[in-house]
Amino acid sequence: MSAYTLLVGDADEPATVSVHNTAEDAWRALDREVRRRCGMRPRPRRRTDADVTARLANAWRAGDPETRYWNVTVHRLPIPLPVIAREAVVSGR
């Protein structure tokens, strides 16, 4: 199982941290947050392109690289699985 953490911040506003189930959700949230901070209109609902969103976020960061930052990080979460089959045990007869 994976989880995606989004971190966006600058000196003018508090950092935004959120956790998402899918990469698509994390990139969409980054796009929304950067557009909000820039005063841009929201993107129409359609599939989010990670490369396009990263370029937008990098352009936003380039406006003040000393104080602006963003990061999307994937976390692999171990999930214990129950035993559903066991090896046959040979009895000593």
Side-chain angles (χ1 to χ4, degrees):
M1 179 175 184
S2 297
Y4 299 83
T5 303
L6 169 63
L7 173 66
V8 181
D10 61 29
D12 298 332
E13 296 183 32
T16 299
V17 179
S18 55
V19 179
H20 304 273
N21 292 330
T22 66
E24 175 81 15
D25 290 345
W27 289 108
R28 185 177 295 121
L30 175 61
D31 183 84
R32 241 186 345 262
E33 183 62 22
V34 169
R35 287 175 181 276
R36 185 190 67 76
R37 288 175 185 250
C38 292
M40 298 172 70
R41 63 186 167 93
R43 172 175 274 248
R45 292 230 3 119
R46 62 177 173 225
R47 189 165 180 86
T48 303
D49 184 337
D51 292 331
V52 171
T53 302
R55 284 195 300 274
L56 175 66
N58 284 334
W60 166 76
R61 185 178 179 277
D64 191 359
E66 297 298 317
T67 61
R68 293 179 181 173
Y69 53 91
W70 70 272
N71 190 6
V72 175
T73 304
V74 63
H75 305 279
R76 302 282 181 218
L77 305 173
I79 298 177
L81 298 176
V83 176
I84 58 175
R86 297 182 189 260
E87 289 185 36
V89 178
V90 179
S91 63
R93 289 187 187 173

